[in-house]
């Protein structure tokens, strides 16, 4: 359609039809602006704000976990005061103490690895897990060789993979 045809069509309309068509055109332009530009921008803004808040919460949790891990790393069994394994294997000690600390349901896997033990937790309460590791270190001389701890979907909970061993190295 050429511009001359549009102009001729416009000239052929009654004044009331021109006004109605102009108002309709403005309404369509406003709707297109709103639905194609404004609303997607506002939705993206709200989503970004939500993501920033989640990242801030995760950062605060990580800072708290780091401080607690640093505090746990600083605790060691006093020489001559530790009890040792008390005649039981490291595997059975880890299993029994975890259950006593209320971590039995969260413990998903426990396996020996030479003189060490690997243990996996899912949805474990972080406070209980940290307390359990502290008790193991202080009372039995068990040390954490490696640990991978991630935030779980459970509030205050973590998923953890630990490698534990006897004594200090």
């Amino acid at each position: 359609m050429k511009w001359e045809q549009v102009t001729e069509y416009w000239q052929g309309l009654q004044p009331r039809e021109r006004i109605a068509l102009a108002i309709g055109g403005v309404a369509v332009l406003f709707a297109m602006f709103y639905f194609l530009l404004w609303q997607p921008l506002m939705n993206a803004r709200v989503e970004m704000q939500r993501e920033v808040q989640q990242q801030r919460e995760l950062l605060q949790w990580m800072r708290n976990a780091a401080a607690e891990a640093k505090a746990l790393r600083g605790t060691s069994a006093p020489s001559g005061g530790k009890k040792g394994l008390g005649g039981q294997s490291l595997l059975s000690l880890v299993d029994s103490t975890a259950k006593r600390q209320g971590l039995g349901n969260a413990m998903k896997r426990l396996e020996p690895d030479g003189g060490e033990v690997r243990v996996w937790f899912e949805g474990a309460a972080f406070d209980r897990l940290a307390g359990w590791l502290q008790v193991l270190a202080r009372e039995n001389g068990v040390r954490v060789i490696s640990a991978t701890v991630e935030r779980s979907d459970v509030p205050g909970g973590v998923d953890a993979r630990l490698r534990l061993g006897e004594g200090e190295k």
Side-chain angles (χ1 to χ4, degrees):
M1 196 179 226
K2 294 183 180 176
W3 183 249
E4 294 88 28
Q5 291 174 327
V6 172
T7 306
E8 186 179 314
Y9 176 76
W10 183 259
Q11 296 297 330
L13 294 175
Q14 296 294 323
R16 291 176 110 184
E17 292 173 332
R18 288 182 195 165
I19 291 172
L21 193 56
I23 290 172
V26 168
V28 167
L29 285 176
F30 177 75
M32 287 177 59
F33 170 78
Y34 180 79
F35 288 110
L36 296 178
L37 186 65
W38 186 260
Q39 188 178 24
L41 284 174
M42 290 300 107
N43 289 345
R45 180 176 175 252
V46 167
E47 185 60 34
M48 285 181 156
Q49 287 174 333
R50 187 178 311 128
E51 181 67 24
V52 165
Q53 182 60 31
Q54 288 174 344
Q55 293 297 323
R56 284 183 179 150
E57 290 172 5
L58 179 60
L59 176 63
Q60 185 60 43
W61 179 87
M62 291 174 108
R63 285 180 177 159
N64 293 342
E68 192 159 347
K70 188 180 283 186
L72 286 174
R73 193 176 308 127
T75 62
S76 62
S79 60
K82 71 180 175 188
K83 297 178 185 174
L85 300 182
Q88 56 184 323
S89 71
L90 180 60
L91 184 71
S92 65
L93 176 73
V94 167
D95 184 48
S96 63
T97 56
K99 288 177 181 173
R100 275 198 307 269
Q101 291 288 328
L103 294 168
N105 290 337
M107 188 169 36
K108 298 302 177 190
R109 191 167 160 193
L110 178 68
E111 65 183 35
D113 184 17
E116 301 168 352
V117 172
R118 294 181 187 269
V119 59
W120 286 259
F121 292 97
E122 289 180 12
F126 179 76
D127 294 342
R128 286 187 182 195
L129 183 65
W132 171 67
L133 289 172
Q134 187 175 15
V135 167
L136 277 176
R138 185 179 60 240
E139 295 180 6
N140 304 103
V142 175
R143 64 186 172 89
V144 177
I145 297 169
S146 68
T148 303
V149 181
E150 297 173 346
R151 184 179 187 180
S152 74
D153 295 335
V154 178
V158 294
D159 296 337
R161 292 185 307 272
L162 306 170
R163 203 169 99 209
L164 307 173
E166 281 186 65
E168 297 181 24
K169 284 192 180 178

